[in-house]
């Protein structure tokens, strides 16, 4: 007999995953004021997923500080990783002389290139680096370690690294991780701490939107929709913002509105993983043709074969086949 594959509806934590989407994986200096911070615009473009504007800003801005030059290079390398240009990042980093931050970025690029094959060696290498007192204080290394440890299932160590990072970026990562392990209460407390530092910061606004979206409270989800809508009005449409709006509509069961926003998103960028995942969800909700769902699935496998939702989908199909082949015997 022929069996139709099970299509998992994306969980909110998966929709939020910036692997996810990796949209906000670089170091920020929260002590710098916005007026004095030479990299403020570059960071903000990247936070919101406006990669083209970020690259333009990053390749034209002149910075004097050695630390800012490293941070700028980290940001540009993160963009390349987000765009799947792993070899470009790996080949650009001289492991013998590169600063710790760039070595960590090169490790992440190598890991992203083939997570299954590289996970164990990445974890071992990161633990070795973190055993060194000087390296263990590097914010970029702590951020990369938190990402890799979380994907290896070690959320305690991941949260510890994110906590030790001490910046708003690391706090946002903590929020993401806490949502993933269904600790919305702790995530809310982390957001409150971020608000006390800078409530208007883009990272704080994103954290507020994520926590609201992860809740089952319709009013809080609506507030998240307002946040994303305001970001859209101020900064224009990006993949991240459009998918945030679509995720809110999905959570509110406003399926037609979600479909409309996602149609705009996929026309803007047909290769963005989160858009494809959300398009699959909408197609399921609206009972669209199976051929269309297959098309989105095939495209997702092509552009992001190690996508977290896709891996969960594969696992569900394997478990289903085991049940089909070995059905439970009634007592």
């Amino acid at each position: 007999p022929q069996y139709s594959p099970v299509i998992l509806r994306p969980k909110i934590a998966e929709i939020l995953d910036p692997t996810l989407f990796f949209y906000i994986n670089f170091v920020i200096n929260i002590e710098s004021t916005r007026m004095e911070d030479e990299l403020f615009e570059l960071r903000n473009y990247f936070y919101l997923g406006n990669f083209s504007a970020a690259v333009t800003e990053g390749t034209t801005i002149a910075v004097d500080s050695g630390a800012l030059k490293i941070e700028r290079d980290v940001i540009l390398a993160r963009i390349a990783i987000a765009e799947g240009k792993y070899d470009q990042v790996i080949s650009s980093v001289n492991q013998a002389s590169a600063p710790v931050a760039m070595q960590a970025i090169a490790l992440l690029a190598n890991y992203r290139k083939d997570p299954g094959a590289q996970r164990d060696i990445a974890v071992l290498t990161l633990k070795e680096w973190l055993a060194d007192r000087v390296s263990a204080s590097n914010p970029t290394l702590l951020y990369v370690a938190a990402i890799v440890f979380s994907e290896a299932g070690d959320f305690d160590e991941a949260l510890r690294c994110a906590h030790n990072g001490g910046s708003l970026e690391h706090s946002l990562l903590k929020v993401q991780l806490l949502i993933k392990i269904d600790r919305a209460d702790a995530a809310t407390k982390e957001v409150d701490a971020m608000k006390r530092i800078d409530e208007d910061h883009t990272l704080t606004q994103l954290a507020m939107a994520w926590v609201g979206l992860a809740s089952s409270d319709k009013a809080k989800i609506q507030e998240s929709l307002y946040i994303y809508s305001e970001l859209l009005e101020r900064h224009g449409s990006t993949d991240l913002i459009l998918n945030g709006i679509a995720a809110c509509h999905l959570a509110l069961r406003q399926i037609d509105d979600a479909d409309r926003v996602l149609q705009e998103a996929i026309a803007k960028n047909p290769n963005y993983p989160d858009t494809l995942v959300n398009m699959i969800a909408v197609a399921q909700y609206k009972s669209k043709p199976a051929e269309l769902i297959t098309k989105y699935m095939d495209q997702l496998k092509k552009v992001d074969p190690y996508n977290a939702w896709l891996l969960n989908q594969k696992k569900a199909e394997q478990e289903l086949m085991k049940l089909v082949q070995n059905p439970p015997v009634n007592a």
Side-chain angles (χ1 to χ4, degrees):
Q2 298 295 317
Y3 298 94
S4 299
V6 175
I7 304 295
L8 299 179
R9 299 193 191 282
K11 298 179 181 178
I12 291 299
E14 292 171 341
I15 293 172
L16 293 175
D17 195 347
T19 44
L20 324 77
F21 184 318
F22 297 101
Y23 308 115
I24 39 181
N25 298 336
F26 53 87
V27 180
I28 62 173
N29 182 354
I30 61 176
E31 287 77 21
S32 301
T33 65
R34 295 179 183 180
M35 293 300 293
E36 297 171 344
D37 190 349
E38 299 170 79
L39 300 184
F40 174 75
E41 292 295 335
L42 171 59
R43 293 195 194 96
N44 219 44
Y45 286 138
F46 193 49
Y47 294 149
L48 296 171
N50 192 341
F51 293 160
S52 59
V55 170
T56 299
E57 177 74 11
T59 53
T60 57
I61 190 173
V63 291
D64 298 324
S65 164
L68 287 180
K69 287 180 181 178
I70 293 174
E71 184 179 353
R72 178 197 60 194
D73 292 344
V74 166
I75 294 170
L76 293 175
R78 300 294 296 196
I79 293 171
I81 292 175
E83 294 177 336
K85 300 174 182 176
Y86 310 122
D87 289 331
Q88 174 184 313
V89 175
I90 295 168
S91 63
S92 68
V93 177
N94 186 332
Q95 291 289 342
S97 59
V100 172
M102 289 305 297
Q103 290 187 48
I105 294 300
L107 179 145
L108 182 63
N110 201 49
Y111 168 70
R112 282 278 165 248
K113 187 176 179 180
D114 189 351
Q118 294 296 323
R119 181 169 289 118
D120 289 346
I121 187 63
V123 168
L124 289 173
T125 302
L126 287 166
K127 287 183 176 180
E128 180 180 341
W129 289 353
L130 290 170
D132 178 80
R133 184 176 300 178
V134 176
S135 297
S137 64
N138 184 273
T140 302
L141 174 58
L142 288 167
Y143 200 97
V144 170
I147 292 169
V148 175
F149 290 153
S150 68
E151 294 185 13
D154 190 348
F155 284 94
D156 287 341
E157 193 62 34
L159 285 166
R160 187 176 296 109
C161 289
H163 176 77
N164 290 340
S167 73
L168 281 180
E169 183 197 12
H170 293 85
S171 293
L172 183 62
L173 179 57
K174 286 175 67 178
V175 170
Q176 182 190 17
L177 296 175
L178 290 166
I179 290 173
K180 275 192 171 186
I181 60 175
D182 297 322
R183 287 296 311 276
D185 56 334
T188 299
K189 292 180 181 179
E190 190 67 30
V191 170
D192 289 341
M194 295 175 71
K195 289 164 69 174
R196 288 192 292 271
I197 295 172
D198 188 347
E199 185 170 1
D200 295 326
H201 198 288
T202 298
L203 293 178
T204 306
Q205 292 294 306
L206 288 173
M208 292 166 61
W210 290 5
V211 167
L213 184 53
S215 75
S216 57
D217 188 322
K218 185 177 180 179
K220 291 181 180 179
I221 298 170
Q222 190 67 52
E223 289 176 7
S224 297
L225 180 57
Y226 291 150
I227 291 173
Y228 279 117
S229 298
E230 288 179 2
L231 290 172
L232 176 66
E233 184 176 347
R234 291 202 306 267
H235 302 285
S237 65
T238 69
D239 295 322
L240 183 148
I241 293 174
L242 291 175
N243 274 275
I245 292 173
C248 291
H249 284 312
L250 282 171
L252 292 168
R253 298 299 185 264
Q254 299 167 349
I255 310 304
D256 288 340
D257 288 329
D259 194 8
R260 172 182 51 79
V261 174
L262 289 170
Q263 291 296 339
E264 178 184 348
I266 204 163
K268 179 183 179 69
N269 182 1
N271 296 321
Y272 191 68
D274 283 5
T275 300
L276 293 167
V277 170
N278 287 329
M279 289 294 283
I280 292 169
V282 168
Q284 283 289 103
Y285 278 120
K286 300 189 75 171
S287 299
K288 292 187 177 183
E291 294 79 6
L292 185 61
I293 296 175
T294 299
K295 174 186 174 182
Y296 294 142
M297 289 281 287
D298 289 344
Q299 184 66 4
L300 181 60
K301 292 175 183 177
K302 178 181 177 181
V303 301
D304 191 9
Y306 300 105
N307 182 274
W309 179 86
L310 198 58
L311 294 177
N312 286 338
Q313 169 71 24
K314 182 178 180 181
K315 182 179 179 181
E317 290 179 355
Q318 291 172 342
E319 291 175 352
L320 175 63
M321 289 308 300
K322 288 181 180 179
L323 288 174
V324 170
Q325 295 168 2
N326 300 288
V329 179
N330 293 329

